[in-house]
Short mmCIF file of all heavy atoms in Angstrom, two decimals:
data_model
loop_
_atom_site.label_atom_id
_atom_site.label_comp_id
_atom_site.label_asym_id
_atom_site.label_seq_id
_atom_site.Cartn_x
_atom_site.Cartn_y
_atom_site.Cartn_z
N THR A 1 228.71 296.77 86.64
CA THR A 1 229.32 298.04 86.62
C THR A 1 230.78 297.88 86.86
O THR A 1 231.13 296.97 87.64
CB THR A 1 228.68 299.13 87.54
OG1 THR A 1 228.82 298.62 88.87
CG2 THR A 1 227.29 299.41 87.20
N GLY A 2 231.60 298.71 86.31
CA GLY A 2 233.01 298.52 86.55
C GLY A 2 233.86 299.64 85.88
O GLY A 2 233.28 300.54 85.24
N ARG A 3 235.09 299.48 85.98
CA ARG A 3 235.99 300.42 85.26
C ARG A 3 237.31 299.69 84.99
O ARG A 3 237.68 298.75 85.68
CB ARG A 3 236.26 301.69 86.09
CG ARG A 3 237.06 301.51 87.31
CD ARG A 3 237.33 302.83 88.02
NE ARG A 3 238.33 302.67 89.10
CZ ARG A 3 238.66 303.60 89.92
NH1 ARG A 3 238.06 304.75 89.80
NH2 ARG A 3 239.61 303.32 90.75
N GLY A 4 237.99 300.18 83.94
CA GLY A 4 239.28 299.64 83.60
C GLY A 4 240.20 300.83 83.27
O GLY A 4 240.12 301.81 83.95
N ALA A 5 240.88 300.74 82.17
CA ALA A 5 241.77 301.79 81.76
C ALA A 5 241.02 303.12 81.43
O ALA A 5 241.54 304.14 81.58
CB ALA A 5 242.53 301.37 80.46
N GLN A 6 239.71 302.92 81.16
CA GLN A 6 238.91 304.08 80.85
C GLN A 6 238.72 304.98 82.05
O GLN A 6 238.59 306.17 81.93
CB GLN A 6 237.61 303.55 80.34
CG GLN A 6 236.64 304.63 79.79
CD GLN A 6 235.32 304.00 79.29
OE1 GLN A 6 235.09 302.83 79.40
NE2 GLN A 6 234.60 304.82 78.57
N GLN A 7 238.70 304.38 83.23
CA GLN A 7 238.62 305.07 84.46
C GLN A 7 237.38 306.02 84.58
O GLN A 7 237.46 307.05 85.24
CB GLN A 7 239.87 305.82 84.84
CG GLN A 7 241.02 304.85 85.05
CD GLN A 7 242.29 305.63 85.48
OE1 GLN A 7 242.24 306.75 85.84
NE2 GLN A 7 243.40 304.90 85.41
N GLY A 8 236.32 305.69 83.92
CA GLY A 8 235.11 306.49 84.00
C GLY A 8 235.09 307.63 82.98
O GLY A 8 235.91 307.74 82.10
N ILE A 9 234.05 308.50 83.19
CA ILE A 9 233.96 309.60 82.28
C ILE A 9 233.66 310.79 83.15
O ILE A 9 233.17 310.76 84.21
CB ILE A 9 232.77 309.38 81.26
CG1 ILE A 9 231.46 309.13 82.00
CG2 ILE A 9 233.06 308.31 80.28
CD1 ILE A 9 230.22 309.09 81.16
N THR A 10 233.96 312.01 82.57
CA THR A 10 233.63 313.26 83.25
C THR A 10 232.47 313.87 82.48
O THR A 10 232.47 313.95 81.28
CB THR A 10 234.85 314.22 83.11
OG1 THR A 10 235.97 313.62 83.73
CG2 THR A 10 234.56 315.54 83.81
N ALA A 11 231.45 314.19 83.24
CA ALA A 11 230.16 314.73 82.72
C ALA A 11 229.96 316.14 83.23
O ALA A 11 230.37 316.42 84.32
CB ALA A 11 229.04 313.80 83.01
N GLY A 12 229.36 316.97 82.43
CA GLY A 12 228.99 318.27 82.87
C GLY A 12 227.75 318.19 83.79
O GLY A 12 226.74 317.56 83.45
N GLY A 13 227.78 318.96 84.86
CA GLY A 13 226.63 319.06 85.70
C GLY A 13 225.63 320.09 85.29
O GLY A 13 225.88 320.77 84.27
N PRO A 14 224.63 320.28 86.08
CA PRO A 14 223.67 321.38 85.74
C PRO A 14 224.41 322.80 85.77
O PRO A 14 225.47 322.89 86.35
CB PRO A 14 222.71 321.37 86.92
CG PRO A 14 222.87 319.99 87.54
CD PRO A 14 224.31 319.57 87.26
N ARG A 15 223.82 323.66 85.03
CA ARG A 15 224.43 325.03 84.86
C ARG A 15 224.88 325.57 86.23
O ARG A 15 224.02 325.55 87.22
CB ARG A 15 223.49 325.93 84.19
CG ARG A 15 224.15 327.26 83.77
CD ARG A 15 223.20 328.16 83.11
NE ARG A 15 222.08 327.57 82.48
CZ ARG A 15 221.29 328.14 81.64
NH1 ARG A 15 221.48 329.36 81.28
NH2 ARG A 15 220.25 327.48 81.13
N GLY A 16 226.16 326.01 86.32
CA GLY A 16 226.62 326.54 87.54
C GLY A 16 227.21 325.61 88.53
O GLY A 16 227.78 325.97 89.55
N VAL A 17 226.94 324.28 88.35
CA VAL A 17 227.38 323.33 89.32
C VAL A 17 228.77 322.80 89.01
O VAL A 17 229.53 322.40 89.91
CB VAL A 17 226.36 322.14 89.45
CG1 VAL A 17 226.86 321.07 90.40
CG2 VAL A 17 225.04 322.64 89.93
N GLY A 18 229.12 322.74 87.78
CA GLY A 18 230.43 322.22 87.38
C GLY A 18 230.32 320.75 86.90
O GLY A 18 229.20 320.33 86.57
N SER A 19 231.39 320.14 86.79
CA SER A 19 231.41 318.76 86.15
C SER A 19 231.61 317.74 87.35
O SER A 19 232.03 318.10 88.43
CB SER A 19 232.50 318.61 85.16
OG SER A 19 233.78 318.81 85.71
N TYR A 20 231.31 316.51 87.01
CA TYR A 20 231.52 315.38 87.99
C TYR A 20 232.09 314.15 87.18
O TYR A 20 231.93 314.07 86.01
CB TYR A 20 230.24 315.10 88.73
CG TYR A 20 229.07 314.64 87.80
CD1 TYR A 20 228.79 313.35 87.58
CD2 TYR A 20 228.29 315.66 87.19
CE1 TYR A 20 227.76 312.97 86.77
CE2 TYR A 20 227.23 315.26 86.38
CZ TYR A 20 226.98 313.92 86.16
OH TYR A 20 225.99 313.59 85.34
N VAL A 21 232.61 313.26 87.95
CA VAL A 21 233.22 312.08 87.38
C VAL A 21 232.31 310.84 87.66
O VAL A 21 231.90 310.63 88.83
CB VAL A 21 234.61 311.84 87.89
CG1 VAL A 21 235.13 310.44 87.37
CG2 VAL A 21 235.51 312.96 87.50
N VAL A 22 231.94 310.11 86.62
CA VAL A 22 231.27 308.81 86.85
C VAL A 22 232.33 307.73 86.58
O VAL A 22 232.77 307.54 85.50
CB VAL A 22 230.13 308.63 85.82
CG1 VAL A 22 229.45 307.29 86.00
CG2 VAL A 22 229.08 309.79 85.94
N ASP A 23 232.82 307.10 87.73
CA ASP A 23 233.92 306.21 87.54
C ASP A 23 233.51 304.75 87.48
O ASP A 23 234.38 303.87 87.31
CB ASP A 23 235.00 306.47 88.68
CG ASP A 23 234.52 306.04 90.02
OD1 ASP A 23 233.25 305.86 90.23
OD2 ASP A 23 235.31 305.91 90.94
N MET A 24 232.28 304.38 87.66
CA MET A 24 231.81 303.04 87.50
C MET A 24 230.76 303.05 86.38
O MET A 24 229.69 303.52 86.53
CB MET A 24 231.19 302.52 88.79
CG MET A 24 232.22 302.40 89.89
SD MET A 24 233.55 301.28 89.67
CE MET A 24 232.74 299.79 89.98
N LEU A 25 231.19 302.44 85.21
CA LEU A 25 230.30 302.43 84.04
C LEU A 25 229.52 301.19 83.86
O LEU A 25 230.01 300.13 84.22
CB LEU A 25 231.18 302.73 82.84
CG LEU A 25 231.99 304.04 82.81
CD1 LEU A 25 232.94 304.09 81.64
CD2 LEU A 25 231.03 305.23 82.87
N PRO A 26 228.31 301.29 83.30
CA PRO A 26 227.60 300.03 82.98
C PRO A 26 228.29 299.21 81.93
O PRO A 26 228.75 299.76 80.88
CB PRO A 26 226.25 300.61 82.53
CG PRO A 26 226.49 301.91 82.05
CD PRO A 26 227.60 302.45 82.83
N LYS A 27 228.39 297.93 82.20
CA LYS A 27 228.97 297.03 81.23
C LYS A 27 228.09 295.67 81.23
O LYS A 27 227.27 295.57 82.10
CB LYS A 27 230.36 296.59 81.60
CG LYS A 27 231.38 297.76 81.64
CD LYS A 27 231.67 298.20 80.24
CE LYS A 27 232.64 299.44 80.18
NZ LYS A 27 232.95 299.85 78.84
N THR A 28 228.36 294.90 80.26
CA THR A 28 227.63 293.58 80.21
C THR A 28 228.67 292.47 80.25
O THR A 28 229.72 292.50 79.54
CB THR A 28 226.83 293.48 78.89
OG1 THR A 28 225.84 294.57 78.86
CG2 THR A 28 226.12 292.14 78.80
N LYS A 29 228.46 291.51 81.16
CA LYS A 29 229.39 290.40 81.23
C LYS A 29 228.71 289.16 80.61
O LYS A 29 227.63 288.73 80.96
CB LYS A 29 229.72 290.04 82.68
CG LYS A 29 230.73 288.93 82.83
CD LYS A 29 231.32 288.84 84.20
CE LYS A 29 230.59 288.00 85.09
NZ LYS A 29 231.32 287.68 86.37
N LEU A 30 229.45 288.53 79.69
CA LEU A 30 229.01 287.33 78.99
C LEU A 30 229.78 286.16 79.62
O LEU A 30 231.00 286.33 79.90
CB LEU A 30 229.36 287.36 77.53
CG LEU A 30 229.01 288.55 76.72
CD1 LEU A 30 229.61 288.42 75.33
CD2 LEU A 30 227.56 288.68 76.62
N GLU A 31 229.12 285.05 79.87
CA GLU A 31 229.81 283.88 80.37
C GLU A 31 229.39 282.74 79.50
O GLU A 31 228.19 282.44 79.29
CB GLU A 31 229.40 283.59 81.82
CG GLU A 31 229.67 284.75 82.81
CD GLU A 31 229.20 284.45 84.20
OE1 GLU A 31 228.28 283.69 84.40
OE2 GLU A 31 229.75 285.12 85.07
N LEU A 32 230.27 281.93 79.00
CA LEU A 32 230.04 280.77 78.24
C LEU A 32 231.12 279.73 78.44
O LEU A 32 232.27 280.13 78.67
CB LEU A 32 229.83 281.00 76.77
CG LEU A 32 230.89 281.65 75.87
CD1 LEU A 32 230.66 281.30 74.48
CD2 LEU A 32 230.79 283.20 76.03
N VAL A 33 230.76 278.50 78.49
CA VAL A 33 231.72 277.41 78.67
C VAL A 33 231.80 276.65 77.29
O VAL A 33 230.72 276.26 76.77
CB VAL A 33 231.37 276.46 79.82
CG1 VAL A 33 232.41 275.33 79.91
CG2 VAL A 33 231.31 277.22 81.16
N VAL A 34 232.98 276.49 76.77
CA VAL A 34 233.11 275.91 75.44
C VAL A 34 234.17 274.85 75.54
O VAL A 34 234.98 274.76 76.42
CB VAL A 34 233.58 277.02 74.43
CG1 VAL A 34 232.51 278.06 74.30
CG2 VAL A 34 234.92 277.58 74.79
N ARG A 35 234.10 273.93 74.53
CA ARG A 35 235.18 272.92 74.36
C ARG A 35 236.45 273.63 74.04
O ARG A 35 236.53 274.69 73.49
CB ARG A 35 234.75 272.00 73.22
CG ARG A 35 233.49 271.20 73.43
CD ARG A 35 233.08 270.40 72.24
NE ARG A 35 232.04 269.55 72.42
CZ ARG A 35 230.75 269.95 72.39
NH1 ARG A 35 230.44 271.14 72.04
NH2 ARG A 35 229.73 269.09 72.67
N ASP A 36 237.58 272.90 74.40
CA ASP A 36 238.92 273.43 74.16
C ASP A 36 239.06 273.93 72.68
O ASP A 36 239.57 275.05 72.41
CB ASP A 36 240.01 272.38 74.49
CG ASP A 36 240.19 272.18 75.93
OD1 ASP A 36 239.76 273.09 76.76
OD2 ASP A 36 240.68 271.16 76.33
N GLU A 37 238.61 273.13 71.73
CA GLU A 37 238.76 273.42 70.32
C GLU A 37 237.89 274.65 69.90
O GLU A 37 238.14 275.18 68.82
CB GLU A 37 238.48 272.26 69.42
CG GLU A 37 237.09 271.69 69.54
CD GLU A 37 236.95 270.57 70.59
OE1 GLU A 37 237.84 270.42 71.44
OE2 GLU A 37 236.01 269.78 70.49
N ASP A 38 236.90 275.06 70.72
CA ASP A 38 236.08 276.20 70.34
C ASP A 38 236.46 277.49 71.05
O ASP A 38 235.88 278.57 70.86
CB ASP A 38 234.59 275.91 70.68
CG ASP A 38 234.03 274.87 69.77
OD1 ASP A 38 234.48 274.80 68.64
OD2 ASP A 38 233.07 274.20 70.20
N THR A 39 237.52 277.40 71.89
CA THR A 39 237.90 278.55 72.70
C THR A 39 238.35 279.72 71.84
O THR A 39 237.87 280.86 71.99
CB THR A 39 239.07 278.15 73.67
OG1 THR A 39 238.56 277.14 74.58
CG2 THR A 39 239.52 279.34 74.49
N GLN A 40 239.20 279.49 70.87
CA GLN A 40 239.70 280.60 70.00
C GLN A 40 238.57 281.13 69.18
O GLN A 40 238.50 282.38 68.91
CB GLN A 40 240.88 280.19 69.17
CG GLN A 40 241.64 281.31 68.58
CD GLN A 40 242.17 282.31 69.61
OE1 GLN A 40 242.84 281.94 70.58
NE2 GLN A 40 241.88 283.60 69.47
#
């Protein structure tokens, strides 16, 4: 989970409660090690 320039999202709460901010969003991190010539 994380945030960047997006800085989360504002979501509507249950009726009468108002909105709330979710500032840590689910993301997927990929990790791979490659030869120099395969980097680009």
Side-chain angles (χ1 to χ4, degrees):
T1 57
R3 70 177 191 186
Q6 190 176 8
Q7 296 183 14
I9 58 172
T10 301
R15 191 179 336 195
V17 174
S19 62
Y20 59 96
V21 174
V22 178
D23 68 346
M24 298 296 284
L25 300 173
K27 297 290 180 180
T28 298
K29 181 165 95 168
L30 313 171
E31 301 175 339
L32 57 157
V33 177
V34 298
R35 294 174 175 85
D36 288 338
E37 59 268 19
D38 290 332
T39 299
Q40 194 59 50

